[in-house]
Amino acid sequence: MGLKSPKEYVDSLRDERTVFYRGERVRDVTEHPVTRRAIDHVAADYRIAEEPAQRDLMTYADEGGQRHSRYFKVPRNAEDLLRRREMIEASTRAGHGVVLLIKEIGTDFLFAMRAVATAMHAKGKTDYLPRLERYHAQCQDRDVAMAVAQTDVKGDRSLGPTEQAHPDYYLRVVSRNKDGIVVRGAKAHTTGSLLANEIAVLPTRALGEADRDYAVAFAVPANTRGLKMILSPFSESSPSEFHHPISGAHKIQDTLTIFEDVLVPWDRVFMDGEWQYAGAIANTFVQFHRFTAASYKLPWIDLMVGAAMLMADVNGIARANHVREKLSRLINYREAVLAMTKMSAIQHRMLDGGIAVPDPVLSNAAKFHFAENYHTMVRHVQDIAGGLLVTGPAEEDLANPETGPAIEKYLGGKQGVPTRDRLRLMNLIRDMLASEAGGYHEILSIHAEGSLETQKLTIVREFDAKPLLDFTRRCARLGA
Amino acid sequence: MGLKSPKEYVDSLRDERTVFYRGERVRDVTEHPVTRRAIDHVAADYRIAEEPAQRDLMTYADEGGQRHSRYFKVPRNAEDLLRRREMIEASTRAGHGVVLLIKEIGTDFLFAMRAVATAMHAKGKTDYLPRLERYHAQCQDRDVAMAVAQTDVKGDRSLGPTEQAHPDYYLRVVSRNKDGIVVRGAKAHTTGSLLANEIAVLPTRALGEADRDYAVAFAVPANTRGLKMILSPFSESSPSEFHHPISGAHKIQDTLTIFEDVLVPWDRVFMDGEWQYAGAIANTFVQFHRFTAASYKLPWIDLMVGAAMLMADVNGIARANHVREKLSRLINYREAVLAMTKMSAIQHRMLDGGIAVPDPVLSNAAKFHFAENYHTMVRHVQDIAGGLLVTGPAEEDLANPETGPAIEKYLGGKQGVPTRDRLRLMNLIRDMLASEAGGYHEILSIHAEGSLETQKLTIVREFDAKPLLDFTRRCARLGA
Amino acid sequence: MGLKSPKEYVDSLRDERTVFYRGERVRDVTEHPVTRRAIDHVAADYRIAEEPAQRDLMTYADEGGQRHSRYFKVPRNAEDLLRRREMIEASTRAGHGVVLLIKEIGTDFLFAMRAVATAMHAKGKTDYLPRLERYHAQCQDRDVAMAVAQTDVKGDRSLGPTEQAHPDYYLRVVSRNKDGIVVRGAKAHTTGSLLANEIAVLPTRALGEADRDYAVAFAVPANTRGLKMILSPFSESSPSEFHHPISGAHKIQDTLTIFEDVLVPWDRVFMDGEWQYAGAIANTFVQFHRFTAASYKLPWIDLMVGAAMLMADVNGIARANHVREKLSRLINYREAVLAMTKMSAIQHRMLDGGIAVPDPVLSNAAKFHFAENYHTMVRHVQDIAGGLLVTGPAEEDLANPETGPAIEKYLGGKQGVPTRDRLRLMNLIRDMLASEAGGYHEILSIHAEGSLETQKLTIVREFDAKPLLDFTRRCARLGA
Amino acid sequence: MGLKSPKEYVDSLRDERTVFYRGERVRDVTEHPVTRRAIDHVAADYRIAEEPAQRDLMTYADEGGQRHSRYFKVPRNAEDLLRRREMIEASTRAGHGVVLLIKEIGTDFLFAMRAVATAMHAKGKTDYLPRLERYHAQCQDRDVAMAVAQTDVKGDRSLGPTEQAHPDYYLRVVSRNKDGIVVRGAKAHTTGSLLANEIAVLPTRALGEADRDYAVAFAVPANTRGLKMILSPFSESSPSEFHHPISGAHKIQDTLTIFEDVLVPWDRVFMDGEWQYAGAIANTFVQFHRFTAASYKLPWIDLMVGAAMLMADVNGIARANHVREKLSRLINYREAVLAMTKMSAIQHRMLDGGIAVPDPVLSNAAKFHFAENYHTMVRHVQDIAGGLLVTGPAEEDLANPETGPAIEKYLGGKQGVPTRDRLRLMNLIRDMLASEAGGYHEILSIHAEGSLETQKLTIVREFDAKPLLDFTRRCARLGA
């Protein structure tokens, strides 16, 4: 096999996984309206892979001519990374600006884990690499949806795993037996877990020798016994197309994911105790994942820029100097994020096992630039749109004959544009940037894929300073 | 009379006013759950005026010893303005950071209208001043709640009132008769209109001679025939105390306010055709109102700073350098807004009729500083709180025995702080800064009380540059 | 006595002090052109104290009716601090925007030392307070110019005084005898030392018990044996009035100040070994001094704003939207710094001994706001001025008949403004903001009176968070 | 011929050109110390073209195998533009971070003029293209140094050429005869004119039909009769290697360039009256030139980053959190400018005549990002360096036995680094960022190659919005 249909994907989720939502067990995620909406959103991944126009981008043929989702293709060069970026952008466009993330992050894990397993292999830890390769091949063959659970709940963040009030604030191996390892702990904000077939787990940080039992990486099916997912209720929108043109149909789902003494069979264990490699896997994963992040942000930014431009026109202020100023900032923002993302692919580095990873300075700089400036860009779009964003009437008021005609009359903008279209634009902007979903996206901008601080640290650490320091020493005549 | 009780206030709203919400006529605003919540929020104004500890601040005694709401007191000096600021701050604190705005804005109108009426009086337009004084006295005696409708719907914003596709994009006088004037038009985002007894109306901009019919200011009772209010459905929260500790009980209500050929009796008309004064009243009103704005922002900022500090502590990151950096920015922000607001009172200017108006450069600078930096401050608080803000569980999950204990266990932070308190803090921050209400407050920050651009214009226009220019000329030896 | 004349002040500097400049000993600072220029600049302090219009501001009468420089008056209330601010502003205006700093900083030291000596007095260290009071009285009576040497050279800044490569990187007591203490070390960037009669010394940071010998505060005459000052040659301008309208006559002088086993008599020693108070004196001094800083920045900012406005007019761009935008930023900047400075006086705190100190949160916030935004404000002014700032012709080219007329013709701006005046404005801006002096002022903005980081720390540490935390806890229903 | 030697270049400047400096005629620019220093700086262009290691980058072989300076090679694809960027970077590195600009800008003109001449050719104006091609070939064969004079002096900037107080505020054709055209006017801040063999002239803006005589483009030898250059005296440094490690040897020279009825022969006239093309040539030129700008900024940024890193280490603060924060900002800044510059080459557009021009949105965004953030980056470096930047001693003080040893002792930093090297680093930073030269570079950052406002306008105008608008319309369901 190689490619699932959307229907096969949906069917694959009827597996009795343990999901809670607002205090209730969700018996079948394909039936509950909230989870079903999320499933329909991400099923676009399988849908567009079947579209003739997108097929070449979304899939590739292996040496035997078998087609697979392109996500599973190990990147070997700039071209592979650039195509991956394009694919992520395209699938996010299919999600109307909202990332699908059912293969992006899982394959980020597979690539990183493969590189680290290769490094461990060279040091005599020879179990992991063949396991990971088999697992990777199976995932590709079954065209699975994958989630990744990385962020531990952490307790007091000023303390390490073994210093906490209880030992489970970071996920750990509590016992080992002939069948596998038993793990306990909880991972916070796992995106897409309830939409995935497989859930991969890896450490969230570098570890010391005393933290050996926390140095664990593995993958389990989503319906594994002892695995509980509590779906967050926040940023849920009504499905109104008028009021919530984006979030009514497209949104990201995160769970608190609890491992209550879950048994992981040995052939799914990719790290167990190799604390020296915890930092490497945590870090390599995020290098891939920040590139994914920078890639999937683009359609969202494009919607911001596009909505600002259309709104300026409809409001009759497109020629105002301060509006042009704001538009220029929005365009610059877009171009900087995109250019650094592309250049991180072009100037990639090679990891163990011949895997191409985007240049970490550039991918982090792209992600940081996005995050650091996001709120200001939100403000520019809100500013252009006007206060009506949050004081306008409801769809039902438009339908009401006592109020509808007055609304049509009074809330028009530039002549020739229907009032409803003006309100639709307002609603688009409010839904994206001034709503539950808007709040979610602000948090996403700064907390997903690592914090602002982590990105700064990475940038300084990974920067190749030597040529600059040599040049500076020469110009300053140090030692003269 | 002089002071209403909260109950009297609530009763006063049962007057058959015409309010629509989500396509339905609201028959009694004191009964509908959404409007009732808003009424309970603003009734705090009447409640705290009765509290012994706040009485001296919230009320004052006139020469005859009669106590009135202090809002109605015409400011004559710095002390009056400083007390007014303090009163606005106190009542907003009673609203848990959310302004009440049922007397603040109305009295801003009364003061501005009085000054402009005084100026018109001196030019021979002698009807308006006595009318306004009588109206002011009645409002005070009846302790009324007031809303102000200023912002016209505007149509194409690049065009003036008479250049629009239809003549009603700005509110105007369509006819005059022996009883009064008849007005038609619509005002956007009128805050608190459904909670008010009186609605005051004034022009939104300077006007030319051709715009004579648009130069109109007046006040009408909220249940006046022909007056329709369409309440915006956006940023409505569930009343859950856990999920929405602020917005579940405290929120601002705005309407699209439509005047369908409303008759305004002559004794309620304060401007009718004096287009030369349209700019003056529009501008003087906002000078008072930006001071009100800068004053009522403080408790909200205080909640942001306080929540950031508590959250940093609970998360165990209070000593992290980058957290201290963010806290220092938040504190600076607070201090700058507060200092400029106070100084605008201390360095007030005197208007016609001996009315003290806050220094417009400083009050605009305070408001601009607030607005320009708000989104960045939001980001700092969100950053300190962490991603759990929008990925955490529901209240019902805490109550569910299958998930509650695991949540209690895993979502703890610093030892000694109950998990529920950590989640309450998260919820506070999400409710304020990453939710429907959060979106509303972002828009409020930049669009309420005039746009960023208007504030910049005012600052440059009102700045007393002469001493600086003289000093500069001397230092540059111009003309030497 | 009570007040010196300018001439008496100049004469007082002929005392054989040890000053080096560009490798040469300066025999008489009143004769060397560079130091004489600086003397003439600061002598304005004595000059304006004699001017009838400024006399009441610059001086005060003690209980006996004797007039003294107001700088020496211990601040007891808001009024004293506000007058002090005004006095600093006025004397800096006399220096064409460049602070004089021959009494401002010295009296900052006197006030801080008095408060700390009072605290030590209460703990049984009873020598210091009477000494300090006598010294203060003598300084006032002799109307001395004072410099303060605080910043140690510090060596490796990651190490404390006793951890350094050699023990003299922080100034310390090397021995004690019946006459006094003997001190060794060097202080960096001592402003105005070569212009002062007295040089006060205090620790630069909090110290531990092992650092006892570094906990030392005292004052010595500038011509004390063993005291060497090396005057920095940087930012020296030609005295051309045309090219350097400000820096040609007004500039700050800093020395590296070396104490080669200097004997300090006991009656001039104000701290010797009380390491517990090192942090207190270092910190209290800067609280006063940051208020001084915030006060003396204003005339410089005023010149920036004034020059930008005049330049915009002369270039014919005063009505361009982007210029108005920049002017509004400049005005806001001025207003924020000024409002926080004034409020820090109004909301002062009281120290031991009944001394009023400006509110440290506000004075630090004022200083921080100044420093954080200075470079951006510089950019706005440079932007308005245009590239001609640094590509224009020399004064001599104007005088040359082969080039002068063409320059007059071609470098005109708006009609009616003489070309020379346009060039004078350009020169003013270049001299202030794009020259050696400009570089100096950029460094001054961020390094004088403590670094940006220190100000942030102070703001967080000194902020009275309790009311905000209580309010937040209540709104979040913590513990509910 | 094809390549000049450095000596041949220097000799070529002894041509009796008319240069004034500080009121004196400079008889031979190769003899005067100020101009000679500038000549030695730019001669690096000819020097490195001879270095084996740089030869392949700096030169190319034409079809006949003749080697030429690569600057003259018309870019046909991304590779050509990327190599050009690399070449500009390399030659600027040879100038220790200071651009040479004796071929960069001239060839920007040649490419732009060729594209516009091709467009005019297609419209029947067939003289210009062959002339330009011949001129281009001659310049290449003679390996000339070229300057470009574009910016008119402009007078009142709110007025167009024909509205000014006198008609010469923009350069214009005053008469035509059989030999050529006669031009009059003055161009401001012409970089490198005194170092060039050829001076090209083009309009500074789009023009209307009434401005026909101002629509003129041509080139003349630098010693043409009637051409006067007045060299600006600002930002001249002493040649001290210690105090001015960069500007003592490397600096940019600008002149006010006056055309006193200069005759331009017909074969050097490339536009004469075609006002419809004035905007095209002005704009196309700057598209090339902003790419040049973005390219030559990199070595300067690298010096800033490198100096900040070395200084942090020497001061012992490399591990301080706030320093890492600042370093991360500096690195991000570098990466954003570089990535957008490279992407502008990769995503180039094709002009008439098959000439590849860097994508204008990206090249403008790169330049704007550089300019908008430059002052803040300067602040970060100054901040890390410390106040000693401008308060340190002179080289002569180090040599003086009375002061030298104390300086060596006290001004050391981290152990193991010689004090002199610490001071050299300080001097490097001061020279670059807090000096006459530093002021020059600040102005350069915002005014060279077009203002910030122009870049914003270009970005909005050139942005291909259609795909974004379509995507937005679809997501917002406009017209639904």
Side-chain angles (χ1 to χ4, degrees), chain D residues 190-203:
Chain D
T190 320
T191 300
S193 47
L194 69 88
L195 310 167
N197 304 112
E198 291 281 325
I199 294 172
V201 174
L202 74 164

Side-chain angles (χ1 to χ4, degrees), chain A residues 166 169 230 256 258, chain B residues 393 397-400 403-413 417-423:
Chain A
H166 69 69
Y169 271 149
I230 305 175
L256 175 65
I258 299 170
Chain B
D397 295 312
L398 270 164
N400 182 344
T403 49
I407 293 170
E408 293 273 2
K409 171 179 176 180
Y410 283 116
L411 295 189
V417 179
T419 295
R420 260 168 209 269
D421 272 6
R422 185 170 181 240
L423 294 177

Side-chain angles (χ1 to χ4, degrees), chain A residues 160-182:
Chain A
T162 59
E163 302 160 334
Q164 299 282 346
H166 69 69
D168 304 339
Y169 271 149
Y170 285 73
L171 184 140
R172 66 189 173 112
V173 180
V174 288
S175 66
R176 295 168 183 84
N177 59 40
K178 68 176 200 331
D179 296 324
I181 60 176
V182 177

Side-chain angles (χ1 to χ4, degrees), chain B residues 93 241 306 324-325 328-329 332 342 347 368 372 421 424 456-457 459 463 471-472 476-477 479-480, chain C residues 93 241 306 324-325 328-329 332 342-343 347 368 372 421 424 456-457 459 471-472 476-477 479-480:
Chain B
R93 276 191 206 288
E241 280 193 2
R324 223 154 38 186
E325 155 88 22
S328 79
R329 303 282 172 162
N332 267 20
K342 287 184 179 173
Q347 301 185 178
F368 181 77
E372 172 81 356
D421 272 6
R424 279 197 188 91
K456 287 186 228 165
L457 287 180
I459 287 164
F463 184 63
F471 179 46
T472 307
R477 301 168 212 267
Chain C
R93 275 191 207 285
E241 279 193 3
R324 221 155 38 186
E325 155 88 23
S328 80
R329 303 282 172 163
N332 266 21
K342 286 184 178 174
M343 285 308 301
Q347 302 185 177
F368 180 77
E372 173 79 359
D421 272 6
R424 278 196 190 93
K456 287 186 228 165
L457 286 180
I459 287 164
F471 179 47
T472 307
R477 301 168 212 265

Side-chain angles (χ1 to χ4, degrees), chain A residues 252-414:
Chain A
I252 293 173
Q253 299 287 4
D254 303 285
T255 63
L256 175 65
T257 310
I258 299 170
F259 294 79
E260 294 190 336
D261 293 1
V262 168
L263 173 72
V264 184
W266 285 114
D267 63 345
R268 286 172 158 276
V269 175
F270 308 123
M271 176 181 288
D272 174 23
E274 290 79 8
W275 59 269
Q276 307 92 328
Y277 292 90
I281 182 59
N283 188 45
T284 309
F285 167 67
V286 297
Q287 301 318 355
F288 281 105
H289 194 44
R290 283 183 199 147
F291 178 72
T292 289
S295 301
Y296 83 67
K297 304 302 188 194
L298 191 70
W300 190 258
I301 298 176
D302 279 1
L303 275 181
M304 290 169 71
V305 180
M309 287 181 152
L310 290 173
M311 199 78 243
D313 185 50
V314 169
N315 284 345
I317 55 174
R319 304 180 74 84
N321 191 302
H322 75 92
V323 170
R324 222 155 38 187
E325 156 88 23
K326 282 155 200 159
L327 294 178
S328 79
R329 302 283 171 162
L330 284 159
I331 295 170
N332 267 22
Y333 176 63
R334 176 193 193 271
E335 296 298 317
V337 172
L338 181 55
M340 288 194 278
T341 307
K342 286 183 179 175
M343 285 309 300
S344 79
I346 294 172
Q347 301 185 179
H348 60 277
R349 297 182 184 178
M350 294 306 292
L351 298 178
D352 291 311
I355 303 171
V357 71
D359 178 72
V361 175
L362 278 159
S363 61
N364 275 275
K367 173 63 174 54
F368 180 77
H369 192 84
F370 169 78
E372 173 79 359
N373 294 287
Y374 181 72
H375 291 64
T376 301
M377 296 302 140
V378 166
R379 193 188 73 212
H380 289 326
V381 183
Q382 292 171 341
D383 193 340
I384 288 171
L388 202 59
L389 270 188
V390 294
T391 66
E395 188 171 19
E396 299 88 334
D397 295 313
L398 270 164
N400 183 342
E402 284 187 280
T403 48
I407 293 170
E408 293 273 4
K409 170 179 176 181
Y410 284 116
L411 295 189
K414 182 175 145 179

